[in-house]
Amino acid sequence: MKRRNLLLSAAVSAPLLALGAACSSSTSRGGGSGDTITMWTHNGGNAEELAVVEKVVEDFNAQSEKQIAIESFPQASYNDAIVAAAASGDLPDILDLDGPIMPNWAWSGYLAPLEMDPAVIDAMLPTTVGRFQDQIYSVGPYDTAMAVLARKSALEAAAVRIPEIDTPWTLEEFNDAMAALSELPDYEFGIDLGVSETAEWWSYAYSPMLQSFGGDLIDRDTYLSADGVLNGPEGIEFGAWFQSVFEKGWASKTPTTGGADFGQGVVPMCWAGGWQVLTAQEAHGADDVLILPPPDFGTGPRTGAGSWQWGISADSPHISEASEFLSFLMQDEYLVAYSDATGNFPTTASAVEKSENYRPGGALEPIYEVSTKYAQVRPETPAYPVISSVFDKAMHDIMAGADVQESLDQAVSDIDANIASNDGYGF
Amino acid sequence: MTVSTRSTRRGTLRSEERQAWVLAAPALILLTMFLVIPILITFGLSFTNARLISPNPPSFRGVDNFVRAFQDPTFLRSILNTFVFAAVVVPIQSGLALAIALLVNAKVKGTAAFRTLIFMPVVTSMVVVSVLWSFMYQQNGLINQALEQLTAGRWESFGWLQDERTALAAVILLSVWQAFGMHMIIWLSGLQMIDPALYEAAALDGASYWHSFRHVTWPGLRSTMVFILITITIAALGLFVQIDVMTQGGPQDSTSTIVYHAVRKGYREQDMGYGAALSLIFFVIVLAISLIQRRITRDKD
């Protein structure tokens, strides 16, 4: 065990040495030693966001005794690296994580509750503060939301009403819009729902629709069962509707990934994340790309929430300094830099005012409005990774034409079996 | 006298035995570390409710995981799919590889270039091949476009991987295309080991091409055939990469395989105990099939 840790930390610190950064020999308790705070981030392939993180760390190191050393990983293998490091007791002091996985890691004992100034937390958007069992385990510098992108020219050509933030389309209007747009000579389909994406996308993108119908991924009163919520009448209605969109030929089952069909003018509408808007506006001009609120499927519009956030590992010897760093990071200057680099909106209202895309009249202002009005975080339970995987499978089957009731019943029994085998995850 | 010679012979035997052990030791140690121990751990885990990450220690659950496996509709479908895949791929891939090998073995100009072309997909990563073919199978992809051209627009284009009737067939097609070059090379080496004198003798006896294939080539390829059959079978039963990249087991479980399902449950859904049980079932199935194949194809002395 000890030897493997030495080998691992040698492997981990080799790149640091090469960079001329301070090398920390990690102990088998994990975390850094002495005066170095180790930090892992998923921005390995994302130069803009990594540059922001490096700038914050540089400024923090300039005014602190304890120095932070950054280690960046590519996003695709990041979660695996964390789980492997946790299993061998080699977690860094500070790590970033995808919002919905936080409860699972907190329950597993990877994360320490944050010791942050309540004033800092109060200024943040609720969707960027990761809470589990009345403790705060993670904080995010930004968030984003999903909305409908539509070509103004196409809506006008099909004589479809253009909805405002407070007057979203109803289910019937949305269906009529998709039908009318797929009839247009210039377009083969009415909308790109983004079904070519994988991993967390399906849960992030389509569970808000399920919630708008009145269903949910799990009963949020008890967190012990999905029965009657995922496979209740509202869930069935959602599944049947989702299936019909492809059966009627309103959306393709094989769109290009990354919402590129909309940018290339192949489809006039797109169910898209806020990070995809700027590219689309570059392609068709800001006047022709409308950011529309999610449709109201019955119980009001819903959109996803919870992006990448920062947490501190449970066995770090530097919890208070690391918490201090997270408070330091939540200064407007850095939040604005983050927002400008990523296209997501900052977590504090004062930083929103100063950011390039979200200030009043900014190109992405409607995304922020959609989020503050209609956002709902994914269920905050350690069962989430399983719920997400099971929901993903059920929805893929439904898209392929499977029986909606059977698919959702099977999903519920898989989710419930998992919760039971984990003794309710402490709920 | 007799006693002493016997004892020295036993001495040399013993030292030879020692040498044999010393020579085999590195391989045995590695095999133990990376094969025997993991299999034993899998065996142990499969009777527990171990999680990939959990604050709670695993507890013994008896045969619960195995009972659950045989009530899991996706797993049962995965077994069926795995067998269908193997049953189709093994004969087609080995037969096609042999046919091409016989062609390439003929002494005609240009065979070297042809051989290289055939071998190209083999040295391409299966992930890359899967991504490329995914594009070709799309609703507006190359294959549908080509069929539309050929049928003058009468062809109804659809996503091959999004339809449960065609998804597995689509995966089979690209798998054979990617791998048969490897087996063609193995068949070729077998063909080139056959003594040319036998062909000359057959020609003198007035044997037709078919006769000489039947009585000279095929018996000479026997050991090659056994090797190819067993390696393709094991590779086909372990189908994972194409499914992971192209279909994620869908649509409606029509392409889910035993290994893919075990990874999904054991790793992505963190249910190590159940994943281990599925892997153990897979191990037993592969072992049984390999032993049966060995029995059927063993030399009848």
Side-chain angles (χ1 to χ4, degrees):
Chain A
M1 197 77 213
K2 189 87 185 160
R3 164 163 313 174
R4 202 176 51 190
N5 280 318
L6 278 175
L7 275 176
L8 246 172
S9 58
V12 165
S13 50
L16 282 181
L17 275 171
L19 287 167
C23 156
S24 71
S25 64
S26 57
T27 63
S28 56
R29 284 193 58 250
S33 70
D35 286 345
T36 307
I37 300 173
T38 50
M39 172 171 150
W40 286 8
T41 163
H42 74 284
N43 296 130
N46 182 343
E48 295 89 355
E49 192 172 340
L50 187 58
V52 176
V53 177
E54 283 168 344
K55 172 88 175 78
V56 182
V57 168
E58 194 183 316
D59 291 358
F60 180 82
N61 286 351
Q63 51 91 59
S64 153
E65 268 176 44
K66 295 261 197 301
Q67 299 294 291
I68 295 182
I70 308 178
E71 185 89 43
S72 66
F73 294 77
Q75 184 172 335
S77 57
Y78 182 74
N79 280 359
D80 295 352
I82 294 281
V83 171
S88 61
D90 268 317
L91 281 174
D93 296 305
I94 305 175
L95 58 149
D96 64 358
L97 51 119
D98 196 5
I101 207 165
M102 181 277 295
N104 183 275
W105 289 359
W107 167 80
S108 305
Y110 294 3
L111 302 176
L114 304 182
E115 301 168 3
M116 286 176 68
D117 182 355
V120 174
I121 300 286
D122 289 344
M124 294 172 65
L125 282 172
T127 58
T128 62
V129 179
R131 289 174 205 271
F132 176 60
Q133 295 182 333
D134 304 321
Q135 294 271 24
I136 295 174
Y137 285 95
S138 62
V139 287
Y142 52 71
D143 202 354
T144 184
M146 297 201 65
V148 175
L149 298 187
R151 299 280 297 275
K152 193 176 174 189
S153 52
L155 294 186
E156 283 167 353
V160 174
R161 175 178 79 86
I162 295 177
E164 298 290 327
I165 183 85
D166 293 318
T167 55
W169 281 324
T170 61
L171 174 57
E172 290 70 29
E173 280 185 301
F174 185 47
N175 284 346
D176 293 347
M178 288 189 289
L181 290 169
S182 25
E183 294 297 308
L184 290 177
D186 298 350
Y187 304 106
E188 195 177 348
F189 296 104
I191 191 167
D192 170 11
L193 286 176
V195 291
S196 291
E197 312 295 330
T198 52
E200 183 52 32
W201 168 270
W202 278 61
S203 305
Y204 177 71
Y206 310 129
S207 68
M209 295 179 175
L210 163 71
Q211 286 148 2
S212 183
F213 268 95
D216 206 343
L217 294 170
I218 189 168
D219 180 349
R220 295 199 198 208
D221 294 332
T222 63
Y223 284 109
L224 292 174
S225 170
D227 195 29
V229 188
L230 178 55
N231 62 348
E234 300 84 1
I236 304 297
E237 199 190 340
F238 159 70
W241 169 81
F242 191 79
Q243 197 170 54
S244 72
V245 172
F246 302 97
E247 271 172 5
K248 290 177 171 148
W250 296 341
S252 166
K253 289 183 188 178
T254 56
T256 317
T257 51
D261 284 353
F262 184 82
Q264 289 165 359
V266 181
V267 287
M269 270 201 302
C270 172
W271 178 234
W275 63 92
Q276 295 169 324
V277 180
L278 289 175
T279 331
Q281 289 187 333
E282 271 166 37
H284 305 300
D287 295 339
D288 198 32
V289 176
L290 300 171
I291 302 174
L292 308 177
D296 176 354
F297 291 106
T299 66
R302 293 278 194 295
T303 189
S307 189
W308 284 84
Q309 300 175 355
W310 293 98
I312 299 171
S313 71
D315 45 15
S316 163
H318 304 298
I319 292 177
S320 60
E321 292 92 339
S323 298
E324 212 174 293
F325 169 77
L326 295 186
S327 298
F328 182 85
L329 179 134
M330 293 299 162
Q331 295 177 68
D332 281 2
E333 176 194 347
Y334 303 126
L335 297 178
V336 170
Y338 251 127
S339 170
D340 294 348
T342 60
N344 302 328
F345 50 81
T347 179
T348 63
S350 49
V352 168
E353 299 279 320
K354 299 172 202 160
S355 76
E356 190 185 337
N357 298 313
Y358 291 97
R359 64 168 64 125
L364 299 178
E365 197 190 4
I367 295 286
Y368 182 64
E369 284 185 321
V370 164
S371 176
T372 45
K373 272 198 155 60
Y374 302 129
Q376 181 164 20
V377 292
R378 285 157 279 182
E380 293 172 303
T381 160
Y384 186 76
V386 174
I387 293 175
S388 179
S389 169
V390 168
F391 178 74
D392 174 286
K393 179 185 178 318
M395 293 314 294
H396 272 96
D397 287 347
I398 285 170
M399 177 176 83
D403 184 90
V404 175
Q405 179 85 54
E406 268 174 40
S407 304
L408 293 177
D409 284 348
Q410 181 63 43
V412 166
S413 77
D414 284 350
I415 291 170
D416 286 10
N418 175 272
I419 294 173
S421 76
N422 282 285
D423 310 320
Y425 287 105
F427 281 105
Chain B
M1 178 75 201
T2 49
V3 174
S4 66
T5 50
R6 194 177 302 161
S7 69
T8 48
R9 192 180 306 145
R10 198 178 299 150
T12 47
L13 263 180
R14 202 172 298 147
S15 76
E16 272 185 14
E17 201 176 311
R18 236 200 323 270
Q19 268 181 347
W21 278 112
V22 168
L23 288 172
L28 285 177
I29 289 169
L30 288 175
L31 278 174
T32 309
M33 269 176 61
F34 294 105
L35 199 73
V36 179
I37 292 176
I39 288 173
L40 291 177
I41 292 175
T42 303
F43 189 81
L45 283 176
S46 61
F47 295 98
T48 69
N49 68 339
R51 323 286 311 167
L52 183 63
I53 46 178
S54 167
N56 310 322
S59 62
F60 184 77
R61 293 288 168 103
V63 293
D64 278 8
N65 286 325
F66 297 94
V67 173
R68 181 181 154 194
F70 289 104
Q71 291 169 341
D72 178 348
T74 306
F75 180 63
L76 297 177
R77 184 68 202 262
S78 301
I79 294 180
L80 177 71
N81 291 336
T82 307
F83 278 108
V84 168
F85 183 83
V88 175
V89 163
V90 172
I92 290 186
Q93 193 168 311
S94 50
L96 185 68
L98 177 59
I100 302 281
L102 290 169
L103 271 180
V104 172
N105 202 32
K107 291 174 180 54
V108 189
K109 268 210 178 77
T111 48
F114 190 62
R115 223 179 288 179
T116 315
L117 278 179
I118 297 274
F119 202 67
M120 285 244 277
V122 178
V123 293
T124 312
S125 144
M126 189 49 117
V127 174
V128 175
V129 171
S130 301
V131 171
L132 284 175
W133 281 71
S134 296
F135 289 136
M136 286 168 34
Y137 282 132
Q138 279 183 1
Q139 189 161 356
N140 54 1
L142 184 77
I143 292 173
N144 279 316
Q145 299 274 359
L147 286 166
E148 250 174 54
Q149 295 286 330
L150 289 172
T151 57
R154 272 193 290 279
W155 174 258
E156 276 289 322
S157 71
F158 67 100
W160 290 76
L161 297 172
Q162 281 68 35
D163 189 312
E164 68 271 23
R165 289 162 305 177
T166 53
L168 190 60
V171 173
I172 287 174
L173 184 64
L174 96 102
S175 306
V176 169
W177 176 83
Q178 195 270 344
F180 85 92
M182 184 74 200
H183 298 103
M184 174 198 78
I185 298 287
I186 299 170
W187 281 122
L188 264 179
S189 68
L191 286 172
Q192 282 160 359
M193 282 192 320
I194 298 170
D195 187 353
L198 293 173
Y199 287 112
E200 283 164 26
L204 282 176
D205 289 344
S208 67
Y209 181 82
W210 169 242
H211 271 110
S212 67
F213 175 81
R214 176 82 188 68
H215 296 287
V216 177
T217 315
W218 189 239
L221 287 174
R222 192 179 164 77
S223 55
T224 316
M225 189 267 297
V226 172
F227 174 77
I228 283 191
L229 208 61
I230 290 178
T231 50
I232 297 187
T233 305
I234 291 176
L237 291 173
L239 173 65
F240 171 77
V241 174
Q242 298 92 306
I243 304 304
D244 193 39
V245 174
M246 296 171 82
T247 63
Q248 291 84 48
Q252 298 182 58
D253 299 337
S254 62
T255 59
S256 184
T257 65
I258 303 179
V259 178
Y260 181 78
H261 192 57
V263 170
R264 178 175 207 141
K265 289 288 167 190
Y267 182 72
R268 292 189 187 138
E269 297 182 11
Q270 306 177 357
D271 201 342
M272 287 304 273
Y274 187 51
L278 298 182
S279 307
L280 198 66
I281 295 170
F282 174 68
F283 174 73
V284 170
I285 290 175
V286 172
L287 195 68
I289 290 176
S290 303
L291 288 174
I292 291 167
Q293 280 187 327
R294 289 293 302 157
R295 268 200 77 78
I296 292 173
T297 57
R298 77 183 189 281
D299 287 333
K300 297 171 189 67
D301 296 334

